[in-house]
Amino acid sequence: MTGRTFPEQFVWGTATASYQIEGAVREDGRGPSIWDTFSHTPGRTYNGDTGDVACDHYHRWRDDVQLMRDLGVNAYRFSVAWPRVRPNGGGAINSAGLDFYDRLVDALLAARITPFVTLYHWDLPQALQDRGGWAHRDTAEMFVEYADIVTRRLGDRVKHWITHNEPWVASLIGHFEGIHAPGLRDLRVALQAAHHLLLSHGMAASALRSNSTHCRVGITLNLTPVKPASDSQADIEAAQRYDGFHNRWFLDPVFGRGYPEDVQAFYGNMMPEMQPGDAAAIAAPIDFLGINYYFPTIVRAARDATPVACETLTTDEYAAAGYTTTAMGWPVDAGALLELLTRIQNDYAPPAIYITENGAAFDDQLVNGEVHDTQRIAYLSDHLGAARDALDVGVPLWGYFAWSLMDNFEWSFGYSKRFGIVYTDYATQQRIPKASARWYQQVVGGGGI
Ligand code: IFM
């Protein structure tokens, strides 16, 4: 996989998210978010870690833009914190919050780095959660207002908009598994939240387009190729259910097919309440699909009461099956990315695809001021190889964003997992480019691997 170039106009980026890097949670009028509440609740995050300071990006954003300029990337995907813009979710607009993103966008453009802005990467204003959060239909309406406010301010300069990041995680992990904010454990509520997230995506699209002329609008889904653990009929059916639950539940409605019937039948009376016109709203045309890919999922039938009666292999089982696993316990399989991209192209044919996140956490060691993260280089290189293969077979892949620019707050894992190509020394807030950053710099500079 050496010496393979990408198209000249290929977008090379890095990605982050507001709560994971900004810190400054009580500054300049920012209101509390559900992640402030969740991370401050004892027992919810590793070590009781919170995003109070995180990477202190709110104060160090100029240095971080310089870091990206040094890396040579031509794009940066970041998210806007809704509680900075509207501290109570609705009501008064906090211009100081908008000013922060305004300055950031200007600095990026001056550095010839194209901003890709995600409007929602999980930091819902707590005030909206207090009124029911995503399970409440009003939150979708409030999201449209928020999207309107942000795009009125930034839409003249930002031309790539991502409505939501990983609605599967925000809904199912946050409202059914309970290990993300708001920490609920109720499948019916989770499915209602998922519906309102999707609805708000579609409803916001027209505001984005009118405030940001000639912009491109997309949504980012975390997708996983699903394989059965054996060739038994039960495992094959379990894999189909899991694919429906994780992938098709979001892809099908966004691409105008409504919710998949096989999964609807499985959910039965857990199905969300919908109103006439919702399906059409969710299916508002998109200009690109953002895909976050980390790992494939191997599934077997389960007798227990999981929502779709299936379970995924454990990390030990993946390792026993021959997979390398990351510090998250996730199996590494670059070939599965090619499978995923071709499947999406064949089944849904989006006008364009960006890999909006891809990367891995490993147990990085800072030795004599350096981090030799050879496993991460291998991971990124193999996945970029798969991305290049996808271009060869006609997938309209327009760009790639490494997750993440720097080590940051990894949600319930706190600061214990490092995904960055730049090492964050949390004691000093020093940023130390890892070997993978130097490697990525060469890839980007040379336009290929
Ligand atoms: O850190 C997260 C990110 O916020 C969303 N996608 C997956 C990453 C790694 O877990």
Side-chain angles (χ1 to χ4, degrees):
M1 283 190 301
T2 51
R4 301 187 60 201
T5 53
F6 282 69
E8 216 174 304
Q9 67 280 18
F10 197 74
V11 167
W12 294 101
T14 57
T16 63
S18 46
Y19 191 73
Q20 294 182 272
I21 65 163
E22 285 179 1
V25 293
R26 280 174 283 274
E27 280 182 54
D28 293 341
R30 178 187 179 279
S33 78
I34 55 173
W35 268 96
D36 296 289
T37 307
F38 189 76
S39 65
H40 278 271
T41 305
R44 293 301 208 171
T45 64
Y46 173 86
N47 201 33
D49 288 346
T50 73
D52 285 6
V53 178
C55 304
D56 195 30
H57 170 76
Y58 190 76
H59 300 115
R60 295 167 193 266
W61 59 273
R62 286 187 190 79
D63 296 343
D64 293 335
V65 172
Q66 184 58 43
L67 199 57
M68 286 186 272
R69 183 182 274 210
D70 293 345
L71 275 173
V73 293
N74 57 30
Y76 175 46
R77 172 178 177 239
F78 65 94
S79 74
V80 171
W82 186 343
R84 275 197 203 287
V85 172
R86 260 187 145 181
N88 293 314
I93 297 169
N94 178 37
S95 57
L98 282 168
D99 291 347
F100 169 70
Y101 298 107
D102 201 272
R103 289 191 292 267
L104 176 61
V105 164
D106 282 346
L108 289 167
L109 293 173
R112 297 172 157 277
I113 297 171
T114 304
F116 279 62
V117 176
T118 307
L119 287 164
Y120 186 71
H121 199 126
W122 310 348
D123 39 4
L124 185 73
Q126 181 61 44
L128 292 183
Q129 187 61 44
D130 296 342
R131 288 161 33 198
W134 284 109
H136 201 293
R137 196 175 172 98
D138 281 359
T139 300
E141 308 278 353
M142 298 315 299
F143 177 80
V144 178
E145 286 189 21
Y146 155 69
D148 180 55
I149 294 163
V150 175
T151 52
R152 273 179 199 276
R153 182 69 179 268
L154 304 179
D156 56 334
R157 286 151 293 152
V158 174
K159 297 297 175 188
H160 296 85
W161 295 99
I162 295 166
T163 51
H164 286 287
N165 181 69
E166 303 183 357
W168 182 81
V169 174
S171 55
L172 273 300
I173 304 291
H175 298 74
F176 176 60
E177 294 193 7
I179 54 178
H180 274 204
L184 306 179
R185 290 175 190 269
D186 185 323
L187 180 58
R188 188 195 301 270
V189 173
L191 294 175
Q192 193 66 63
H195 181 67
H196 291 150
L197 282 156
L198 286 169
L199 182 64
S200 70
H201 150 78
M203 288 186 345
S206 60
L208 304 189
R209 291 189 196 285
S210 57
N211 294 342
S212 181
T213 46
H214 306 301
C215 72
R216 296 201 170 114
V217 176
I219 184 170
T220 281
L221 303 178
N222 59 311
L223 301 175
T224 181
V226 184
K227 301 163 204 236
S230 77
D231 55 13
S232 76
Q233 193 55 29
D235 285 352
I236 290 170
E237 285 172 12
Q240 280 163 357
R241 284 197 299 277
Y242 192 88
D243 180 58
F245 157 75
H246 190 113
N247 297 319
R248 288 181 286 121
W249 194 256
F250 295 87
L251 285 162
D252 281 14
V254 165
F255 287 95
R257 299 181 193 169
Y259 292 115
E261 280 176 15
D262 58 332
V263 192
Q264 285 197 47
F266 210 86
Y267 285 150
N269 63 8
M270 299 285 169
M271 279 296 291
E273 279 173 26
M274 294 177 230
Q275 293 185 6
D278 283 5
I282 294 172
I286 52 173
D287 303 296
F288 65 88
L289 177 67
I291 295 180
N292 291 355
Y293 171 74
Y294 289 90
F295 56 88
T297 306
I298 299 181
V299 170
R300 63 174 159 244
R303 267 160 297 178
D304 61 17
T306 56
V308 279
C310 54
E311 60 191 29
T312 60
L313 295 199
T314 63
T315 300
D316 286 348
E317 287 170 323
Y318 281 116
Y323 286 92
T324 301
T325 56
T326 69
M328 297 294 282
W330 297 343
V332 176
D333 186 350
L337 172 59
L338 174 60
E339 248 174 72
L340 174 66
L341 292 170
T342 48
R343 181 245 177 133
I344 296 301
Q345 178 58 15
N346 292 336
D347 290 0
Y348 299 96
I353 297 175
Y354 292 95
I355 296 173
T356 39
E357 286 181 29
N358 175 241
F362 290 107
D363 291 324
D364 298 323
Q365 301 300 325
L366 182 65
V367 180
N368 297 329
E370 294 185 355
V371 180
H372 291 285
D373 55 338
T374 49
Q375 285 177 295
R376 182 171 294 103
I377 294 175
Y379 181 100
L380 296 173
S381 168
D382 289 349
H383 285 76
L384 278 170
R388 187 66 191 77
D389 292 342
L391 282 166
D392 283 341
V393 296
V395 173
L397 181 65
W398 289 18
Y400 175 93
F401 293 79
W403 183 270
S404 177
L405 170 62
M406 58 190 150
D407 299 331
N408 56 48
F409 177 77
E410 179 54 24
W411 308 111
S412 54
F413 293 92
Y415 298 100
S416 67
K417 304 294 178 200
R418 293 181 176 272
F419 274 91
I421 58 173
V422 172
Y423 185 90
T424 306
D425 181 337
Y426 294 108
T428 62
Q429 290 296 349
Q430 198 189 344
R431 277 63 159 140
I432 302 161
K434 303 178 190 177
S436 57
R438 301 285 169 232
W439 172 85
Y440 195 52
Q441 185 182 38
Q442 284 176 5
V443 168
V444 170
I449 42 178

